[in-house]
Amino acid sequence: MRILFNVFPASSHVYPVVPLAWALQSAGHEVVMATSEAGLDPKLFTNIASAGLTAVPLGGKEELADSLAPLLAVANRPDRRTATIDPDDEDTWRTCRDMLIDLLHAHYPPEQVSGGRRPVLDALVDFARDWRPDLVLWDPLAPTGAVAARVSGAAHARLLFGMDNVGLVRAKTLQELADPSSGLTEDPWTPWLKPVLERYGLDFTEETLLGQWTMDLTAARMQYPLDLRYVPVRWIPYNGGSTLPQWLHKRPERPRVVFTLGQTRRLLDGAQGGFPLRDFFDSVSDLDLEMVATLNSDQLATAGDLPDNVRAIGYVPLNHLLPTSSAIIHHGGGGTSGACVAFQVPQLIVPIPMWDEKVIAQYIGGRGAGLVIDPAKIDVDTMRKDLVRLITEPSFRNGARDLYEDMLAAPAPKDVVPILERLTTEHRG
């Protein structure tokens, strides 16, 4: 088969799906990964290629400058809107819906540019028509993959990078549309979808937003209760390639703790994203531990002189760092938390909201595999105490082991390949 992955332009969306792409390639299938050049991630295509995958650039860097400008202008503001779902705030799904629609308009504008072309959209459809994929696996933030699949006659499915916020928002939107008292009389997705579909002679079906089925990398106990067809896939940690330092695989003489704010968070929030780096590192300076902090140059400048027990490193893949670590402090991202589960590492989470960080934090805390700090009430003394608990209390390691056992219940990527082959045969046009 020929399989086209259509991903949102960010390495944090690429890394989770790489193991499935490898499994498909290893089974003899042709795999390519298409994405636009309009994201904030300058290493995106290098990271795809370094994973041994073929990248298909879809353009958009110049064409999308105007449509992306409003989003980029507020990207570093702490009060910016996000597509997060807060389990403690019922109304966040509406804000999430508004942000999702804004993202689609910005990254895949239905309006024509010079020559009558739609940036990214037409490039993807043209590629699909020429390459003729059998299956398109598309990011929930890249529903253009569904359009390309329908035009080219391919089967198609969503490939989740985290919690199914799109599925949840869609289900609640349909409930509102069916309720006269809600005041919602027009589908909010229509202004974006209608011109996109009409351009290619297509009508709207729910599969345009939700796929013919959905590949789900999240733990079964975390999933939203939605009436959709999910195919579970085990999360396999992959965090990119790197040249590893010699000290990394030596067993540390004292507990090793990882500190990271995540790759996407670096790109959006610059130096520290509101986290008190200097105060926190000072607060742990007298603890008998080795802290490995993944910091870029801006974050290092903010942190100032580091204590002797804090080692700063620009980047190292978590799947190489976590096996020798006793705990981790992080922002709640799905890629980071998934890697922690795979290596049974207790987690101290400061869930900085972008997508599903609060849901993840509550799940991990509720399962006894970590502790959660309210990002609006960061107190370094409390963080220090919680960190000591993670290292010294065996219950957190037991909770982490339980999460690992849950993860093993999902089929590995190689075991999902026959399922994808069967579903492709059933759904291909």
Side-chain angles (χ1 to χ4, degrees), residues 142-270:
T144 45
V147 177
R150 292 179 64 186
V151 170
S152 62
H156 66 95
R158 291 185 306 152
L159 181 51
L160 302 185
F161 60 87
M163 295 293 292
D164 192 5
N165 288 6
V166 173
L168 178 66
V169 166
R170 186 59 185 164
K172 289 185 173 293
T173 298
L174 292 176
Q175 290 174 3
E176 277 199 338
L177 287 169
D179 179 9
S181 66
S182 71
L184 187 66
T185 58
E186 182 181 10
D187 193 331
W189 301 91
T190 300
W192 178 77
L193 277 170
K194 187 175 180 180
V196 169
L197 295 172
E198 287 179 347
R199 177 167 179 77
Y200 307 109
L202 303 173
D203 56 356
F204 174 73
T205 67
E206 288 298 314
E207 291 178 356
T208 310
L209 290 174
L210 303 175
Q212 293 172 319
W213 70 92
T214 298
M215 310 299 296
D216 195 350
L217 294 162
T218 60
R221 296 193 191 193
M222 286 179 60
Q223 294 168 358
Y224 301 130
L226 300 174
D227 186 21
L228 296 173
R229 184 176 189 179
Y230 291 101
V231 175
V233 188
R234 185 183 308 165
W235 184 285
I236 304 295
Y238 173 76
N239 307 106
S242 178
T243 301
L244 301 179
Q246 291 184 348
W247 55 264
L248 183 58
H249 287 286
K250 294 180 181 179
R251 184 61 55 180
E253 296 180 357
R254 49 186 177 170
R256 176 173 288 164
V257 176
V258 180
F259 176 92
T260 178
L261 295 178
Q263 288 194 3
T264 302
R265 184 61 55 189
R266 287 183 182 186
L267 295 172
L268 286 175
D269 288 336

Side-chain angles (χ1 to χ4, degrees), residues 26-82:
S26 297
H29 300 298
E30 297 179 64
V31 175
V32 298
M33 189 168 289
T35 188
S36 82
E37 300 170 78
L40 291 171
D41 191 342
K43 296 182 179 180
L44 175 62
F45 291 96
T46 299
N47 289 337
I48 293 173
S50 68
L53 301 172
T54 300
V56 179
L58 300 175
K61 187 173 183 179
E62 291 79 19
E63 302 97 319
L64 297 180
D66 290 341
S67 63
L68 287 173
L71 291 180
L72 297 179
V74 299
N76 292 325
R77 287 174 47 176
D79 62 342
R80 68 179 180 271
R81 288 186 306 153
T82 70

